[in-house]
Amino acid sequence: MVEVVVPDLGEDVEKAKISFWHYEEGDKVEKNDDVVELTTDKATFNIPAPESGIITELCVEEGEEVEVGEVIAFIDEENEELELSSEDEEEEDTNF
Amino acid sequence: MKVKNFHDIDYREMCDIQRKEVSEVISGGENRILFPDFNHIMTTGRDFKKTDLLVTDNILSSLGVKVFAADRGGNITYHGPGQIVCYPIIDLKHWKKDVGLFIRTIENVIMAVLSKLGIASLKKKQLTGVWVKDKKIASIGIGFSKWVSYHGFSLNVEPELYYFSIINPCGIKDAEYTSIKKETGKNFSVELLKGYIIDELECCFNKAAALAY
């Protein structure tokens, strides 16, 4: 399981607000796709997915405040591998 | 830095172009500066509240003003003829990964340009933008994806300031706006001003400047 964490946005920024999630729980996400948009004073900031996988939990509601270092979502990268391997098997099946 | 001008462009079309430019910089392309010219529009950021738009849709319509939601920070602002809108698309991974410092640096860029014109301007704590005494002359609203900036700032050269009176610009009630023309009484060419902006942005966001932070 991989955590999505609010990164260090710089010296003046300790808190930010969740503008909106680009995905819902259960969605498949690719590594580096923007997962969530944060709003700070005068800026929006998109956090990319640290790994590919299935989003298992969004821990914070849209509109809520979050702090730097806070875990805001979880991605199951093993689930991604499982899903891929089952797709592979299906492909193999059709080859026979 | 690459520089691209877009004359009298539709706002949505410009957003599509901007997304493409941002993707290119994310993929390792050169930093760039986009200068779009818009006809009378209002754009709203993520902090927009409906109460900061002070007229009805019918009045906006009769003025020919369209309102667009933008994926940037901040509240509501006006763009139109007589304004320089500048989108610096900068990869902060090669500079300093600091959202606040980036915004303060953009303010410094605008202040340096105004100083060349003989205008003394200032920053205000908690009120992002650039001010001449108590009047705002430039507004800022930024977005970041993978530490690459998009959107940017607007600088009033000689716009019709009436349009700022029908909103609470940046969410500030009774905010007064000013322009380069109003402060100096002079007509400066937009191309000259864009040249000053490019020089300052290149100076502030080159690799040597990054090492200084």
Side-chain angles (χ1 to χ4, degrees):
Chain A
M1 199 72 76
V2 179
E3 296 172 342
V4 178
V5 179
V6 178
D8 181 357
L9 300 174
E11 283 178 20
D12 292 342
V13 186
E14 289 173 3
K15 288 182 178 178
K17 197 166 73 179
I18 303 277
S19 318
F20 62 88
W21 291 97
H22 293 288
Y23 293 91
E24 293 178 1
E25 286 180 0
D27 283 350
K28 191 176 167 184
V29 64
E30 297 296 328
K31 184 179 178 176
N32 284 332
D33 279 354
D34 289 333
V35 175
V36 62
E37 184 195 272
L38 305 181
T39 312
T40 70
D41 175 36
K42 289 287 179 178
T44 57
F45 189 93
N46 285 281
I47 301 180
E51 294 294 340
S52 299
I54 304 295
I55 296 179
T56 54
E57 187 180 355
L58 303 178
C59 313
V60 190
E61 299 274 328
E62 292 176 355
E64 284 185 19
E65 273 200 344
V66 290
E67 291 183 7
V68 170
E70 189 173 333
V71 177
I72 54 173
F74 290 95
I75 295 171
D76 187 349
E77 81 274 36
E78 288 175 9
N79 205 338
E80 153 87 359
E81 282 170 16
L82 277 174
E83 191 165 281
L84 283 176
S85 54
S86 62
E87 278 174 11
D88 289 346
E89 279 168 20
E90 277 173 26
E91 267 181 49
E92 279 176 19
D93 286 342
T94 54
N95 288 335
F96 282 106
Chain B
M1 284 190 212
K2 281 185 188 175
V3 177
K4 297 184 180 183
N5 290 283
F6 303 89
H7 297 294
D8 195 16
I9 190 161
D10 174 76
Y11 187 74
R12 285 206 182 92
E13 189 185 344
M14 189 62 220
C15 287
D16 290 341
I17 292 168
Q18 183 176 224
R19 266 190 284 276
K20 193 168 158 273
E21 299 285 343
V22 169
S23 294
E24 285 180 17
V25 175
I26 288 172
S27 305
E30 189 184 347
N31 287 340
R32 56 206 65 189
I33 304 166
L34 314 181
F35 287 112
D37 297 339
F38 299 117
N39 212 340
H40 306 288
I41 58 167
M42 301 288 179
T43 66
T44 61
R46 297 293 186 225
D47 293 333
F48 171 62
K49 294 173 191 72
K50 278 188 175 174
T51 48
D52 289 322
L53 182 54
L54 306 177
V55 292
T56 61
D57 290 348
N58 284 345
I59 293 175
L60 280 177
S61 193
S62 67
L63 291 167
V65 178
K66 289 182 180 171
V67 183
F68 296 96
D71 53 349
R72 59 162 174 80
N75 197 302
I76 186 167
T77 198
Y78 162 78
H79 295 315
Q83 220 180 31
I84 293 177
V85 178
C86 177
Y87 295 164
I89 314 294
I90 311 283
D91 190 344
L92 270 61
K93 292 193 292 300
H94 304 307
W95 187 69
K96 171 94 178 168
K97 285 159 71 172
D98 190 321
V99 168
L101 182 63
F102 179 82
I103 293 173
R104 302 287 90 79
T105 305
I106 292 292
E107 288 173 332
N108 291 344
V109 163
I110 299 164
M111 289 170 69
V113 170
L114 292 173
S115 175
K116 285 180 180 171
L117 311 177
I119 301 172
S121 59
L122 53 108
K123 293 184 263 191
K124 291 190 178 191
K125 219 174 180 181
Q126 307 298 328
L127 291 172
T128 298
V130 176
W131 303 72
V132 178
K133 293 179 183 164
D134 283 332
K135 294 177 181 172
K136 202 170 189 184
I137 196 164
S139 302
I140 298 172
I142 310 281
F144 294 94
S145 179
K146 299 169 186 68
W147 287 105
V148 172
S149 65
Y150 50 91
H151 293 294
F153 67 89
S154 56
L155 173 63
N156 294 338
V157 182
E158 49 175 333
E160 289 179 53
L161 295 174
Y162 162 76
Y163 290 94
F164 289 104
S165 70
I166 59 174
I167 55 174
N168 287 331
C170 305
I172 307 164
K173 279 183 187 168
D174 304 321
E176 279 194 72
Y177 266 69
T178 190
S179 66
I180 290 171
K181 176 72 185 284
K182 208 171 170 188
E183 294 300 320
T184 63
K186 294 177 187 169
N187 294 309
F188 289 97
S189 98
V190 166
E191 290 317 307
L192 173 84
L193 298 173
K194 284 182 179 175
Y196 287 165
I197 291 169
I198 295 162
D199 289 347
E200 289 298 328
L201 286 171
E202 284 184 334
C203 179
C204 289
F205 292 106
N206 65 25
K207 283 181 183 169
L211 293 172
Y213 288 111

